[in-house]
Amino acid sequence: MPEPIIAFERVSKVYPGTEGPVTALHDISLAIGQGEFVSLIGPSGCGKSTLMRLIGDLEQPTGGTLHVKNKTPHQARLDRDYGIVFQAPVLYEWRSVRKNVELPLEIMGFPAEQRRERAMALLRLVGLADWGESFPWQLSGGMQQRVSIARALSFNPSIVLMDEPFGALDEITRERMQDELLNIWSAAERQTTVIFVTHSIPEAVFLSDQVVVMSPRPGRVKRVVPIDLPRPRRFETRESPRFFELVTEVREGLREG
Amino acid sequence: MADDALLPADRRSGTEAAAAHPRSSPLRRAVPVLCVVAVLLLIWEGGKLLFAIPDQKLPHVGDVVAILFSRTQGGRGPLLLVQLLANAWATFQVAFGGFMIGGLLGFCLALLFSRWGLLERGLMPYVIASQTVPILAIAPMVVVGLGRMGAPDWTAKVVVAAYLTFFPVTIGTLRGLRAATPQALDLMRSYAATPAQVFWKLRGPVALPYVFTALKVAATASVIGAIVAELPAGAQQGIGVMVLNAAQFYNSRPPALYAAIGAAALVGLAFYALVAFAEWLVLGRRGDARHA
């Protein structure tokens, strides 16, 4: 495995609750290599989103150590190592599509010319080149989520965190978005590390190099399933026998314990 | 990659959307207003006829309009309409001054409260209490107090108008400054944005529609404040003075009171329209204006 870019060592997260502390994550040890596509899967309450938020320094662990690029997650955030995509597109309604993609670049102080260029390049990449001057409400849910992905990639972060990004889309749009996501990721030479939270087993298997299977109460890593399906993955991949074997393996991992 | 399957069912380009939501012409928008005017006239005159209300209690609409074009001061003065408008203008100026001061104060309070929760918990009870005290009790105190200090007549009126203005602005702006969703804030956090950037690029733009809603409420409140402050002052001008005078001489000229009240309402309407226009200037061209 390549040099880990994200390393969890016995990490735990405990929330103070009204009826005593709640353990959201218990004793997580996990290593993620650079350029890997890793899915976190498990039922609601297994802490998969929390795990992602710990990486992104949106929350802090209460025990253990977590390193990102040999730094603290806090330092990595200040270094702008993270692009984030949520389940909702979270576009700023008063900004045009292009201006939404430019938002992180504005904050990071890129000059206007460069912002525009990068935003247009990314909109082309996600197939929305003609929609730059439209406003979010004029776009369908799938299109809005593609804008959100373009925005997350606009400043070339080394790690992209995706929290059920296709969870609100219909099945047909969803599979198409999965194909597109892999195309986009490949276009960047698969240098970007992707942490992908999902509760869809086929989605996790289709996209990932590793699937981290988690269980709830308290959130633990039960199994890490390596996905050895050849890349590039296409439509046929979803119908190959190996795909079904791996889906079965993940499903059994979810059921046990 | 832009596949038809991924386009919205009704792919709305700018022009098509505009066609679906036509900007109604001023004429078209006037229709409902005129209809309501017609209905009100019908109720007024119909009720008068039906219940045999004497002119002394409820004059004819025509008489109210007619008196606007009669000369004041026993035929030597200007038209009543001119006099009313001049006084309305005086009140408008006072209300505007109070609105600006109160609005600024309300806005600053909201900024402070949103930044320091402790300050909000400490001061908010007094802010709320200030509004539960009847303005009719406060106004004479302010007028007399400032008068003793030798301040010019208009200062007390502006202060009372500001007193009624700041509250809705504080509440509305505070609500707006807190309206950004946790996820939108998480995004800003992930970009390592500075607090100033979060304000200018997220909290501010999100708050603006709330601020304008508050300003609309404040606009009419400031007019009420200005009018109420005219009553105890023995003030020389203002639409409140006109209402008071007309009330005193009601027995000899009933329609004059209705005319004065109408003019007072007009001040509030004009102010509201002004704020609505400012809102349109600021928000109307924003991409999400449709939702505002």
Side-chain angles (χ1 to χ4, degrees):
Chain A
M1 196 176 99
E3 176 75 8
I5 187 171
I6 300 169
F8 285 80
E9 272 175 64
R10 315 210 58 173
V11 168
S12 59
K13 175 71 180 174
V14 180
Y15 290 105
T18 45
E19 293 156 31
V22 180
T23 306
L25 290 171
H26 176 69
D27 200 18
I28 306 284
S29 292
L30 189 66
I32 294 166
Q34 201 222 314
E36 274 193 311
F37 199 122
V38 176
S39 287
L40 310 176
I41 193 167
S44 317
C46 73
K48 53 191 192 294
S49 289
T50 306
L51 195 70
M52 190 208 85
R53 293 175 65 81
L54 290 182
I55 299 173
D57 190 40
L58 298 175
E59 286 173 50
Q60 288 70 43
T62 46
T65 55
L66 168 56
H67 283 102
V68 175
K69 296 173 87 175
N70 291 320
K71 302 177 279 195
T72 61
H74 182 72
Q75 188 56 48
R77 178 171 65 81
L78 296 184
D79 292 345
R80 276 106 181 208
D81 281 330
Y82 305 117
I84 301 188
V85 180
F86 293 106
Q87 177 171 355
V90 200
L91 301 177
Y92 290 10
E93 296 278 312
W94 57 93
R95 285 176 165 253
S96 69
V97 165
R98 176 171 61 77
K99 284 281 187 186
N100 264 287
V101 178
E102 285 186 23
L103 175 71
L105 302 171
E106 268 177 41
I107 285 166
M108 296 172 196
F110 284 71
E113 186 88 344
Q114 213 175 331
R115 289 203 304 259
R116 199 189 170 90
E117 246 166 55
R118 282 211 56 88
M120 287 319 291
L122 276 152
L123 286 174
R124 271 195 298 280
L125 188 64
V126 299
L128 293 175
D130 296 337
W131 294 81
E133 304 311 314
S134 304
F135 283 86
W137 59 269
Q138 294 171 302
L139 274 57
S140 69
M143 293 161 81
Q144 290 187 14
Q145 198 54 290
R146 286 191 282 171
V147 177
S148 168
I149 292 170
R151 180 181 56 189
L153 298 175
S154 65
F155 54 102
N156 247 327
S158 45
I159 298 164
V160 175
L161 306 172
M162 306 182 95
D163 193 356
E164 298 186 31
F166 307 147
L169 304 178
D170 66 83
E171 195 61 28
I172 298 157
T173 310
R174 190 170 183 151
E175 288 197 354
R176 201 178 288 265
M177 294 287 285
Q178 293 163 5
D179 293 342
E180 285 187 21
L181 180 61
L182 286 186
N183 284 337
I184 292 165
W185 183 56
S186 302
E189 309 284 316
R190 295 181 206 151
Q191 285 302 299
T192 313
T193 307
V194 183
I195 310 297
F196 191 97
V197 174
T198 180
H199 47 225
S200 158
I201 301 169
E203 182 169 84
V205 171
F206 180 72
L207 294 171
S208 313
D209 296 314
Q210 292 193 71
V211 175
V212 177
V213 181
M214 299 181 68
S215 73
R217 283 175 289 278
R220 283 161 297 149
V221 172
K222 278 199 343 203
R223 198 193 276 197
V224 178
V225 181
I227 306 296
D228 53 10
L229 294 166
R231 292 190 189 272
R233 294 177 190 166
R234 329 190 147 80
F235 187 75
E236 301 80 55
T237 308
R238 290 196 186 86
E239 289 168 352
S240 69
R242 183 67 188 140
F243 179 78
F244 287 111
E245 282 171 30
L246 288 163
V247 165
T248 306
E249 199 180 331
V250 172
R251 184 171 288 128
E252 280 170 357
L254 282 168
R255 198 168 50 184
E256 70 191 20
Chain B
M1 249 189 287
D3 196 303
D4 278 354
L6 290 168
L7 296 179
D10 53 337
R11 179 182 163 149
R12 291 162 295 196
S13 71
T15 49
E16 278 168 307
H21 305 269
R23 276 249 177 273
S24 45
S25 67
L27 201 73
R28 214 161 161 175
R29 269 181 295 179
V31 169
V33 178
L34 293 176
C35 284
V36 171
V37 168
V39 170
L40 285 178
L41 286 179
L42 210 70
I43 292 173
W44 183 315
E45 292 292 343
K48 201 167 148 51
L49 197 73
L50 202 63
F51 301 108
I53 304 173
D55 285 358
Q56 191 61 27
K57 280 191 180 149
L58 186 72
H60 283 288
V61 176
D63 291 341
V64 175
V65 174
I67 203 165
L68 287 173
F69 298 97
S70 69
R71 290 202 174 276
T72 51
Q73 295 163 13
R76 287 171 289 112
L79 292 184
L80 180 64
L81 178 67
V82 174
Q83 198 183 35
L84 282 176
L85 286 179
N87 282 282
W89 172 239
T91 300
F92 182 86
Q93 285 172 299
V94 168
F96 189 78
F99 175 83
M100 295 307 277
I101 292 169
L104 202 66
L105 176 72
F107 191 75
C108 291
L109 274 179
L111 279 182
L112 289 175
F113 288 177
S114 77
R115 179 72 185 75
W116 290 287
L118 208 64
L119 212 59
E120 183 191 356
R121 263 170 285 162
L123 286 179
M124 198 52 122
Y126 298 99
V127 170
I128 296 166
S130 77
Q131 302 299 307
T132 58
V133 180
I135 190 65
L136 278 170
I138 299 265
M141 283 165 55
V142 176
V143 171
V144 171
L146 281 173
R148 281 212 186 114
M149 286 160 62
D153 184 38
W154 56 266
T155 45
K157 296 194 249 174
V158 169
V159 167
V160 174
Y163 187 88
L164 283 194
T165 304
F166 87 96
F167 183 69
V169 177
T170 300
I171 301 295
T173 305
L174 195 58
R175 171 80 179 82
L177 288 173
R178 292 190 172 143
T181 63
Q183 288 187 325
L185 287 164
D186 276 348
L187 270 185
M188 280 297 183
R189 188 173 157 80
S190 77
Y191 305 147
T194 64
Q197 285 174 324
V198 176
F199 179 83
W200 289 111
K201 301 213 182 283
L202 177 61
R203 286 192 194 275
V206 167
L208 268 183
Y210 293 88
V211 174
F212 274 106
T213 301
L215 288 179
K216 285 182 187 166
V217 177
T220 54
S222 71
V223 173
I224 292 175
I227 290 176
V228 168
E230 284 165 5
L231 303 183
Q236 299 305 305
Q237 55 174 1
I239 201 67
V241 178
M242 295 299 287
V243 172
L244 214 57
N245 285 344
Q248 263 167 0
F249 298 104
Y250 183 80
N251 282 335
S252 59
R253 290 207 312 172
L257 180 62
Y258 290 90
I261 289 171
L266 203 66
V267 179
L269 269 176
F271 207 158
Y272 183 93
L274 194 71
V275 176
F277 179 67
E279 179 183 36
W280 176 80
L281 280 182
V282 176
L283 296 183
R285 273 168 286 182
R286 229 162 77 157
D288 59 338
R290 199 180 78 110
H291 303 294

